[in-house]
C-alpha cells in the first residue's frame, strides 16, 4: 500500500520525535511491503519564522491532498518566545486550530493505557493499578459549549455571562458512528457519557447513540453520567474500553484519564473527520525546555504513527507490530529520562526510536 503522509515536524522537540516515528514507519514499510510517501509542511513557530504566519494556504492544500497528517508538536516557551508577542491569530496554536477546522476534524481520540512496566508512575492505589487499564476517550471536538453562542450582558446593573450548548442529531450521529467503529477494532464496548438527568442536549445524545448502536449488535453499549464517570476513572479504570462523549466532558475526562497513566511522553492522539483522514500527534506539547538535547521520549509520537496505520490505512497488523515493539523495549528495561526508574537502562530519543524499529 502507498501511504501519502503530510509531516509536520513542528517546534521544540517536534523534529526529534517525528524523526523517530518516521524511522519506525520506514521499518514497517520495509517489513510489510508498503510505501511511505512523506511531504513536509511547516506549521506553528517554524512557519512564523519562515513565512510570517503559523500556517500558509499552500500548507493547508498539501495536507488536504494527503491520506493523513503526522505531527510532532508546535509552540515555544510561552513566557520567553517572541512568537507569543504576536497577536493571538498569528501565534503557533492558531495554525493548529485552523488546520483542524479546514480538515473538519470532529473526532478526537486519546488512548490511555497503563504499561505494566510503568505501573509505578500511576498515581492510583496499587490494588487498582495492578488491574491495568486500556481505554480510549472519543471526544466530539467541534460542537457543544465551546462553539455555541456566548455573550456577557449587564441588566439593571447586574452583569451576567451566557454560554450555549447545542448539538444537532447529525453532529451526534457522526461521532457515535466513529465511536462504535473504533470499539469494533478494540474490546467492543462503548460507554457513552452524558448528563441526561439534567441536559436536553444529553437526552438527544443518548437517543441518537442508542439509534446508532442498533447497527453495531456486536458492540456492547452502556450509558454513564459524567460525574459518575469522573469517579469511575480513578476507582475502576479497567472497566472502560471506548468512552464516547461530547466536547467539554471529553476535554476534562481525557486529561483525567491521561493523568492516571502517569507518563505524558507515552500518550498518543488522533483527530479524525468523516472519511479515513486523520491528524495524528502526541498528547504532550513541544517541551522547549529539552529541545535539541536528544532526551525527549518519542514513544507518544511512535504510538500516534501506529494509530495512523490503524485508523487511516486499516493496517491493523502493522499497528499491532509497533505497539508490540514498544512493549518489548519497555520489558527489556530501556527508558528515556522521563520514565526512568532504578535498574533500567537510560537511552536518548534517537536510540529509543532505533530500539523500537529494530524489534519490528
Ligand atoms: P509540554 O507537554 O511541552 O511539557 C510539559 C513537561 O513535560 C515539560 O517538562 C517537558 O519537558 C515534559 N515533556 C513533554 N513531552 C515530553 C516528552 N516527549 N519526553 C520527555 N518529556 C516531555 O507542555 P508545556 O511546557 O506546557 O508547553 C510547551 C509548548 O507546547 C507550549 O508552547 C504549548 O502551547 C505547546 N503545546 C502544543 C501542543 C500541540 O502541539 N498540540 C499541545 C500542548 C502544548
Amino acid at each position: 500500500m502507498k501511504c501519502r503522509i503530510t509531516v509536520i515536524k513542528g517546534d521544540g522537540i517536534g523534529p526529534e520525535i517525528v524523526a523517530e516515528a518516521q524511522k519506525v514507519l520506514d521499518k514497517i514499510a520495509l517489513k510489510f511491503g508498503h510505501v511511505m510517501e512523506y511531504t513536509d509542511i511547516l506549521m506553528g513557530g517554524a512557519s512564523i519564522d519562515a513565512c510570517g504566519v503559523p500556517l500558509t494556504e499552500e500548507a493547508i492544500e498539501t495536507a488536504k491532498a494527503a491520506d493523513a497528517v503526522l505531527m510532532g508538536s508546535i509552540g515555544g516557551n510561552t513566557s520567553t518566545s517572541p512568537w507569543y508577542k504576536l497577536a493571538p491569530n498569528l501565534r503557533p496554536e492558531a495554525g493548529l486550530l485552523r488546520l483542524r477546522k479546514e480538515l473538519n476534524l470532529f473526532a478526537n481520540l486519546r488512548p490511555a493505557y497503563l504499561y505494566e512496566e510503568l505501573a509505578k508512575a500511576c498515581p492510583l492505589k496499587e490494588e487498582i493499578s495492578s488491574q491495568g487499564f486500556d481505554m480510549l476517550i472519543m471526544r466530539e471536538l467541534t460542537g457543544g459549549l465551546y462553539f455555541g453562542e456566548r455573550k456577557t450582558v449587564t441588566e439593571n446593573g447586574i452583569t451576567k455571562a451566557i454560554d450555549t450548548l447545542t448539538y444537532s442529531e447529525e453532529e451526534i450521529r457522526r461521532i457515535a458512528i466513529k465511536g462504535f467503529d473504533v470499539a469494533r477494532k478494540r474490546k467492543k464496548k462503548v460507554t457513552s457519557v452524558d448528563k441526561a438527568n439534567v441536559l436536553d442536549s444529553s437526552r438527544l445524545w443518548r437517543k441518537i447513540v442508542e439509534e446508532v448502536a442498533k447497527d453495531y449488535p456486536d458492540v456492547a453499549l452502556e450509558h454513564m453520567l459524567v460525574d459518575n464517570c469522573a469517579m469511575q476513572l480513578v476507582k475502576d479504570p479497567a472497566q472502560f474500553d471506548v468512552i464516547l462523549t461530547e466536547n467539554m466532558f471529553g476535554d476534562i475526562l481525557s486529561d483525567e484519564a491521561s493523568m492516571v497513566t502517569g507518563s505524558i511522553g507515552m500518550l498518543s492522539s488522533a483527530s479524525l473527520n468523516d472519511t479515513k483522514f486523520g491528524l495524528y500527534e502526541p498528547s504532550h506539547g513541544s517541551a522547549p525546555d529539552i529541545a535539541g538535547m536528544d532526551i525527549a521520549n518519542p514513544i507518544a509520537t511512535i504510538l500516534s504513527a501506529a494509530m495512523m496505520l490503524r485508523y487511516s490505512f486499516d493496517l491493523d497488523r502493522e499497528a499491532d507490530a509497533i505497539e508490540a515493539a514498544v512493549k518489548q523495549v519497555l520489558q527489556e528495561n530501556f527508558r528515556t529520562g522521563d520514565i526512568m526508574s532504578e535498574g533500567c537502562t537510560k537511552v536518548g530519543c534517537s536510540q529509543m526510536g532505533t530500539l523500537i524499529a529494530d524489534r519490528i
Side-chain angles (χ1 to χ4, degrees), residues 31 58 185 206-207 227 238 247 280 293 316 341 343:
K31 193 95 187 185
E58 294 89 313
K185 283 182 177 269
R206 206 174 264 217
K207 176 173 173 273
D227 37 353
N247 201 345
Y280 300 85
M293 296 163 75
D316 289 343
S341 60

Side-chain angles (χ1 to χ4, degrees), residues 13 71 73-76 84 93 96 281 284-290 297:
I13 59 171
M71 186 180 135
S73 41
I74 54 149
Y84 296 92
E93 295 71 26
L96 183 55
E281 56 174 324
H284 59 73
S286 62
D289 52 329
I290 57 166
N297 185 347

